[in-house]
Amino acid sequence: MNRLKELREDKDLYQKDVAKILNMSQTGYSQYETETNDIPIEILKKLADYYNTSIDYLLYRTDERKPYKKSIINK
């Protein structure tokens, strides 16, 4: 299963709910879940923060769902 879909369903959300959070259309968001379109970095950051995970998890670069510690540079 797609990780975005899994994370969304774990929170009992619909695609339209996540699309609203990202200020975009449901159709646009759906294309991220189906991997029809690449996800821009800013959207990846928002999704990782919202789901409390890492961008690496969203991109299948790790199976560790737990987020990394925040960088002191961003504080």
Side-chain angles (χ1 to χ4, degrees), residues 1-2 11 14 17 20 26-28 37 42 44-45 57-58 61-62 70 73 75:
M1 179 186 290
N2 179 288
K11 288 189 170 270
Y14 295 102
D17 301 322
K20 186 174 182 178
Q26 180 273 325
T27 304
N37 281 348
E42 288 305 313
L44 282 169
K45 288 179 187 178
Y57 181 78
L58 296 176
R61 293 175 54 89
T62 183
K70 297 291 182 189
I73 295 171
K75 289 184 179 179

Side-chain angles (χ1 to χ4, degrees), residues 9-55:
E9 289 179 346
D10 284 352
K11 288 189 170 270
D12 295 322
L13 298 171
Y14 295 102
Q15 286 182 348
K16 66 179 181 176
D17 301 322
V18 179
K20 186 174 182 178
I21 292 164
L22 298 173
N23 196 31
M24 63 185 307
S25 70
Q26 180 273 325
T27 304
Y29 175 76
S30 172
Q31 293 173 342
Y32 297 153
E33 276 196 14
T34 60
E35 299 178 359
T36 305
N37 281 348
D38 290 335
I39 307 171
I41 291 172
E42 288 305 313
I43 299 294
L44 282 169
K45 288 179 187 178
K46 288 179 184 179
L47 288 167
D49 287 345
Y50 181 76
Y51 290 123
N52 196 32
T53 192
S54 68
I55 291 173

Side-chain angles (χ1 to χ4, degrees), residues 48 52-54 64-70:
N52 196 32
T53 192
S54 68
E64 181 67 41
R65 196 168 178 171
K66 192 171 99 175
Y68 302 124
K69 287 184 175 184
K70 297 291 182 189

